[in-house]
């Protein structure tokens, strides 16, 4: 994503063929004109500085009623003739061309150039071709513009292939540069799909955002995602999460007015009544000048002191604070992409009314860095929240070093013969020989963005990297030199499988809706098949057949020599395209078991299938799709249920668990590296757990990071465990 200057005229590119098919012209620059005022209380009262707001339309071609409801909303908005419409994301259900075409058919032609979008997780999460489509239709995913004397900033902290998001240092830097250009006194409005603060935990590092916003005249955040209307006032701003259109057609009219209290935004909800006519109701008012909401409640100081299993918290308020309550809690670190009411503890006040103190129990916390939150709430229910970090000592000194690679390490780690290859989502690839003391970089090169896990050739002389730029790269791991690159015609998001077919080494991988097999030495195509839907996981092969999942909800067996489909096995009974996708094996790492059965997983079950027929032999309930499984000595499986946050040692002949271990944190995408009888499992929320593979006992725990999610499967090189995170940090952990 590239930076754009603050401007009242942001030019957006567009897929002209698709829009012309729908009878529309190209999108043009943002309009900033004045519209006439109208009588109060009407469905959409025109005003010189009014604009419309909506979100979570989630068009699904399998559910035509959604299209009808969104069409009604846009008819009402068009009747008001606003110069600006803000859509806060989840435009469509999963980003297909058919969904975007259907969505655009609901939008009147004259209104299209006036709509400003931010993407939601549904718009491009599952496939970067959807991201490319979004960019062609609606422009950049983050940008800014001016309207009616206000500065609007469109934010996108989302991560490809993942449900929640995080800004990272680069995202905060971009926002800082943009806000630094805003004139003092100009009200700032943020547009983001995810809401922040309070009980919202959808962005891993929202504290970075809130700390930054303290410095600027930010007055409002308009968000969506939670599919319910929610108003919160905190940290100097007012946040409105809008209701979705999926149940009752609804949008919001936002108007800038001047009252005796000063300039403000008034927000009115407009929804379809029982008789089909629009019904209006007031929602809230947002001050645009004067003191910002709850800023006086910002603590003057917060001090922490650890004593054994207790963390003492002391808070000092400024003289003008109006505190109805002062509370503290340990940050709910392992809440992942959800709401969490928290476990707040009231801090008693002293006689001055400015000092508050209490203790938090930290006995259950592992070594490493942690967060706690202080919240000061005023009599009107607005609050100011602030995080503080503290570190519990690592007596075993496991974390030896960490190094910044400059961009998220989402899955891009592979190791062979003492060499590490690490790739980031901006396409940086490094070769290194890690030790306990340092990363030991040897070379660095640049390819397209990498979101999948690289794979070494059996002889270790080539490493294969999947890239979002539509290519599979074959590099020399000793030098980083490119041996060949294969153009797959679509983003290569999954992990390549290097296997042997008919005595020949081949690489098998998915790209978009196609499966490719290429010669491992030359990159020459062996076969390509399509028609099974998107696949971002890793295939498996027994030399006779290749097994893969797909976005249509099926597992497939292909003839290893030709790619012809030999059988397909449905993994769910869902009926819509979206639900078939998300409840199917679209991102699974398939596995051929020692007994020849094929293990295929979804968010609901793991299935062991007969390799010749696809018939089910056993199943195990749980969400096993994301974290790669591992085969242990003796043939047992190590499986990870990311929904239940557990690891289990499983009998491959029955699917029954010999033991189950509680990981506390979800292992989304991470899996484990097994070393000297211990499975090292990085949790998505930064907790590293060492599990004894013999009996499931927890041998070690370490909190690696607090502000960045971890999705990268770990590797071990020379007794050092390597783990990457979405902040671009690579951690070296001693495991010998």
């Amino acid at each position: 994503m590239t930076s754009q200057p603050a401007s009242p005229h942001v030019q957006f590119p567009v897929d002209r063929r698709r829009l012309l098919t729908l009878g529309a012209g190209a999108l043009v620059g943002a309009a900033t004109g004045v519209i006439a005022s109208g009588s109060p209380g009407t469905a959409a009262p025109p005003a010189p500085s009014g604009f419309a707001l909506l979100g979570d339309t989630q068009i699904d071609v399998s559910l035509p009623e959604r299209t009808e409801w969104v069409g009604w909303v846009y008819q009402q908005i068009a009747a008001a003739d606003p110069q600006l419409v803000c859509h806060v994301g989840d435009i469509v259900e999963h980003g297909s061309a058919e969904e975007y075409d259907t969505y655009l058919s609901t939008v009147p032609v004259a209104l299209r150039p006036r709509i400003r979008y931010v993407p939601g997780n549904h718009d491009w999460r599952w496939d970067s071709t959807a991201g490319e489509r979004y960019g062609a239709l609606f422009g950049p995913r983050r940008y800014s513009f001016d309207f009616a004397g206000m500065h609007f900033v469109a934010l996108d902290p989302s991560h490809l292939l993942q449900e929640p998001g995080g800004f990272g240092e680069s995202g905060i830097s971009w926002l800082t540069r943009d806000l630094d250009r805003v004139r003092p006194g100009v009200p700032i409005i943020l547009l983001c799909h995810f809401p922040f603060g309070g009980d919202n935990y959808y962005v891993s590092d929202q504290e970075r955002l809130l700390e930054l916003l303290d410095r600027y005249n930010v007055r409002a955040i308009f968000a969506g995602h939670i599919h319910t209307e929610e108003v919160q006032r905190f940290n100097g701003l007012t946040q409105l999460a809008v209701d979705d259109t999926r149940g009752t057609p609804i949008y919001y009219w936002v108007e800038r007015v001047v009252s005796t209290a000063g300039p403000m935004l008034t927000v009115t909800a407009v929804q379809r009544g029982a008789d089909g006519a629009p019904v209006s109701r007031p929602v809230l008012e947002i001050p645009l000048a004067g003191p910002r909401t709850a800023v006086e409640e910002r603590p003057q100081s917060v001090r922490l002191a650890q004593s054994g299993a207790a963390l003492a918290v002391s808070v000092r308020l400024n003289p003008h604070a109006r505190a109805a309550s002062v509370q503290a809690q340990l940050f709910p670190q392992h809440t992942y992409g959800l709401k969490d009411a928290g476990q707040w503890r009231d801090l008693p006040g002293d006689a001055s009314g400015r000092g508050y103190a209490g203790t938090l129990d930290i006995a259950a916390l592992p070594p490493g860095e942690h967060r706690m939150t202080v919240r000061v709430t005023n009599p009107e229910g607005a609050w100011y929240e602030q995080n503080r970090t503290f570190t519990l000592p690592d007596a075993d000194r496991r974390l030896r070093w960490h190094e910044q690679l400059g961009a998220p390490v989402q899955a891009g780690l592979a190791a062979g013969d003492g060499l590490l290859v690490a790739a980031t989502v901006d396409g940086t690839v490094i070769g290194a020989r890690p030790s306990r003391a340092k990363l030991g970089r040897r070379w660095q090169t640049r390819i397209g963005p990498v979101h999948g896990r690289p794979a070494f050739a059996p002889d270790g002389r080539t490493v294969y990297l999947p890239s979002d730029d539509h290519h599979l790269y074959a590099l020399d791991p000793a030098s980083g030199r490119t041996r060949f690159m294969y153009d797959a015609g679509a983003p290569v998001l999954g992990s390549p499988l290097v296997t042997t077919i008919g005595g020949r080494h081949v690489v098998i991988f998915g790209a978009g809706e196609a499966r490719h097999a290429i010669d491992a030495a030359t990159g020459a195509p062996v076969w390509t098949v399509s028609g099974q839907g998107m696949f971002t996981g890793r295939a498996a092969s027994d030399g006779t057949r290749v097994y893969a999942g797909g976005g249509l909800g099926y597992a497939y067996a292909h003839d290893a020599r030709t790619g012809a489909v030999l059988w397909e096995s449905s993994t769910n009974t869902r009926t819509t395209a979206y639900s078939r996708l998300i409840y199917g094996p679209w991102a699974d790492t398939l596995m051929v078991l020692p007994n020849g059965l094929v293990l295929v997983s979804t968010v609901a079950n793991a299935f062991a299938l007969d390799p010749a027929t696809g018939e089910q032999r056993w199943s195990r309930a749980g969400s096993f799709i994301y974290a790669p499984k591992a085969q242990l000595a003796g043939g047992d499986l190590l499986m990870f249920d990311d929904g239940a946050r557990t690891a289990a040692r499983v009998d491959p002949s029955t699917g029954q668990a010999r033991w189950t271990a509680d990981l506390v944190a979800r292992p989304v995408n991470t899996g484990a590296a097994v070393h000297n009888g211990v499975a090292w499992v990085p949790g998505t929320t930064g907790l590293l757990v060492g599990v004894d593979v013999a009996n499931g006992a927890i041998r070690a725990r370490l909190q690696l990071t607090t502000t960045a999610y971890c999705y990268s499967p770990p590797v071990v090189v020379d007794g050092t465990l390597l783990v990457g995170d979405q902040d671009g940090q690579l951690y070296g952990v001693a495991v010998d």
Side-chain angles (χ1 to χ4, degrees):
M1 294 180 287
T2 58
S3 172
Q4 276 193 293
S7 169
H9 299 288
V10 179
Q11 295 293 328
F12 288 174
V14 65
D15 183 334
R16 295 176 184 268
R17 180 193 61 79
R18 190 158 285 136
L19 282 181
L20 288 171
T21 300
L22 294 165
L27 292 179
V28 296
T32 58
V34 175
I35 56 178
S37 61
S39 59
T42 58
S49 52
F51 62 93
L53 171 69
L54 75 162
D56 294 274
T57 46
Q58 290 185 222
I59 290 291
D60 185 332
V61 295
S62 304
L63 301 171
E65 64 274 16
R66 292 192 187 177
T67 304
E68 190 271 326
W69 294 334
V70 176
W72 181 91
V73 166
Y74 275 124
Q75 288 172 10
Q76 302 302 311
I77 293 174
D81 195 27
Q83 295 303 299
L84 175 66
V85 181
C86 297
H87 193 305
V88 291
D90 279 3
I91 304 164
V92 296
E93 195 71 283
H94 69 287
S96 70
E98 294 78 8
E99 287 176 347
Y100 277 119
D101 283 347
T102 302
Y103 167 76
L104 288 170
S105 74
T106 70
V107 185
V109 172
L111 203 59
R112 293 176 186 174
R114 309 177 192 180
I115 305 177
R116 298 293 166 261
Y117 297 91
V118 290
N121 52 295
H122 280 257
D123 296 320
W124 73 292
R125 169 193 170 184
W126 289 277
D127 184 0
S128 60
T129 56
E132 294 171 353
R133 194 171 297 121
Y134 177 96
L137 291 171
F138 308 124
R141 298 200 300 270
R142 64 184 185 193
Y143 57 94
S144 65
F145 61 95
D146 296 328
F147 175 79
M150 298 174 287
H151 183 72
F152 288 73
V153 185
L155 301 176
D156 177 29
S158 57
H159 294 156
L160 180 63
L161 301 176
Q162 307 302 333
E163 177 73 12
F167 288 101
E169 293 181 2
S170 64
I172 294 298
S173 295
W174 177 89
L175 180 58
T176 302
R177 291 192 300 272
D178 184 90
L179 296 183
D180 279 345
R181 290 191 292 262
V182 181
R183 297 189 308 275
V186 172
I188 298 169
I189 312 297
L190 303 184
L191 307 174
C192 186
H193 181 64
F194 298 113
F196 307 101
D199 59 355
N200 296 303
Y201 294 94
Y202 303 106
V203 175
S204 63
D205 58 351
Q206 61 177 310
E207 66 198 67
R208 287 172 169 163
L209 176 72
L210 297 181
E211 289 171 2
L212 174 65
L213 299 186
D214 254 357
R215 295 158 37 191
Y216 303 95
N217 189 33
V218 179
R219 293 289 173 162
I221 298 177
F222 294 128
H225 190 63
I226 60 176
H227 296 176
T228 188
E229 185 180 291
E230 180 180 84
V231 177
Q232 296 176 311
R233 300 182 188 271
F234 62 96
N235 287 52
L237 53 88
T238 300
Q239 178 173 267
L240 169 64
V242 301
D243 205 352
D244 66 289
T245 65
R246 301 180 311 160
T248 300
I250 187 172
Y251 73 97
Y252 297 80
W253 185 263
V254 187
E255 183 176 344
R256 180 169 183 167
V257 300
V258 178
S259 71
T260 55
M264 66 176 60
L265 295 178
T266 63
V267 182
T268 303
V270 183
Q271 58 193 90
R272 188 166 68 177
D275 61 354
V279 178
S280 300
R281 59 177 170 82
V283 176
L284 78 157
E285 296 177 342
I286 304 172
L288 295 180
R292 293 197 298 140
T293 303
V295 167
E296 295 292 349
E297 280 63 68
R298 181 196 295 119
Q300 191 176 78
S301 66
V302 177
R303 292 186 172 87
L304 307 179
Q306 180 191 350
S307 178
L311 181 71
V313 182
S314 300
V315 179
R316 186 76 175 169
L317 301 184
N318 72 63
H320 303 292
R322 298 179 304 116
S325 67
V326 178
Q327 299 172 301
Q329 71 163 353
L330 296 177
F331 189 91
Q333 180 68 30
H334 306 303
T335 297
Y336 174 73
L338 297 170
K339 282 185 171 290
D340 192 321
Q343 298 182 19
W344 294 95
R345 174 166 182 176
D346 290 323
L347 301 182
D350 63 16
S352 73
R354 294 181 59 197
Y356 294 79
T359 60
L360 300 175
D361 184 359
I362 58 174
L365 296 182
E369 188 174 83
H370 300 275
R371 291 180 282 184
M372 58 79 59
T373 308
V374 167
R375 177 183 293 173
V376 183
T377 304
N378 68 25
E380 290 75 41
W383 72 88
Y384 192 96
E385 62 182 66
Q386 193 172 68
N387 284 349
R388 288 289 188 271
T389 61
F390 62 97
T391 302
L392 300 183
D394 175 13
D396 295 324
R397 294 189 62 249
R398 290 196 179 276
L399 180 58
R400 297 303 178 89
W401 52 263
H402 57 89
E403 187 161 330
Q404 176 58 244
L405 300 190
V409 185
Q410 188 154 314
L413 299 181
D417 195 25
L419 182 70
L420 171 73
V421 172
T424 71
V425 301
D426 76 347
T428 299
V429 185
I430 68 165
R433 290 199 176 274
S435 67
R436 289 194 175 198
K438 60 183 180 180
L439 174 57
R441 294 180 185 232
R442 298 300 177 91
W443 53 262
Q444 179 171 317
T445 190
R446 193 72 174 264
I447 61 173
V450 176
H451 291 88
R453 193 175 191 180
F456 273 82
D459 63 5
R461 298 182 61 187
T462 305
V463 63
Y464 304 94
L465 293 100
S467 178
D468 196 24
D469 73 355
H470 299 198
H471 291 86
L472 182 82
Y473 290 83
L475 303 184
D476 179 347
S479 66
R481 181 178 60 85
T482 300
R483 296 192 185 279
F484 67 80
M485 50 190 292
Y486 176 85
D487 186 350
V492 186
L493 297 179
S495 301
L497 170 72
V498 187
T499 188
T500 303
I501 297 174
R504 177 188 192 183
H505 293 313
V506 299
V507 185
I508 298 168
F509 57 94
E513 297 194 354
R515 318 285 180 268
H516 298 264
I518 65 173
D519 186 279
T522 67
V526 176
W527 50 258
T528 298
V529 296
S530 59
Q532 291 83 48
M534 175 186 62
F535 180 53
T536 65
R538 187 177 69 193
S541 178
D542 55 16
T544 301
R545 304 174 190 86
V546 170
Y547 309 96
L552 302 183
Y554 293 88
Y556 301 90
H558 299 269
D559 184 291
R561 294 179 181 272
T562 67
V565 175
L566 302 175
W567 53 255
E568 61 183 34
S569 177
S570 180
T571 61
N572 66 80
T573 58
R574 307 282 173 155
T575 56
T576 69
Y578 167 68
S579 60
R580 291 287 298 175
L581 165 70
I582 66 169
Y583 287 95
W586 65 281
D588 186 39
T589 299
L590 284 78
M591 177 181 284
V592 176
L593 304 181
N595 55 16
L597 299 179
V598 182
L599 185 63
V600 180
S601 302
T602 70
V603 295
N605 291 283
F607 305 94
L609 306 179
D610 185 287
T613 65
E615 294 179 3
Q616 181 180 313
R617 298 306 183 202
W618 58 257
S619 67
R620 181 175 178 82
S623 179
F624 300 103
I625 180 174
Y626 296 118
K629 281 71 70 175
Q631 186 173 318
L632 301 173
D636 279 357
L637 306 176
L638 190 60
M639 299 179 64
F640 306 94
D641 184 339
D642 72 88
R645 308 182 185 193
T646 59
R649 181 167 182 155
V650 175
D651 182 340
S653 62
T654 65
Q656 298 299 307
R658 303 191 191 279
W659 54 254
T660 300
D662 183 3
L663 299 174
V664 178
R666 295 179 65 178
V668 180
N669 292 120
T670 60
V674 180
H675 181 71
N676 290 344
V678 177
W680 294 95
V681 189
T684 303
T685 47
L687 178 62
L688 178 66
V689 180
V691 183
D692 191 314
V693 299
N695 55 27
I698 304 300
R699 297 301 183 195
R701 294 192 306 152
L702 178 65
Q703 187 69 41
L704 289 177
T705 178
T706 56
T707 57
Y709 292 133
C710 296
Y711 299 117
S712 179
V715 296
V716 175
V717 178
D718 192 26
T720 300
L721 181 83
L722 290 311
V723 181
D725 73 14
Q726 293 297 92
D727 263 355
Q729 292 285 349
L730 186 66
Y731 300 89
V733 181
V735 293
D736 272 347

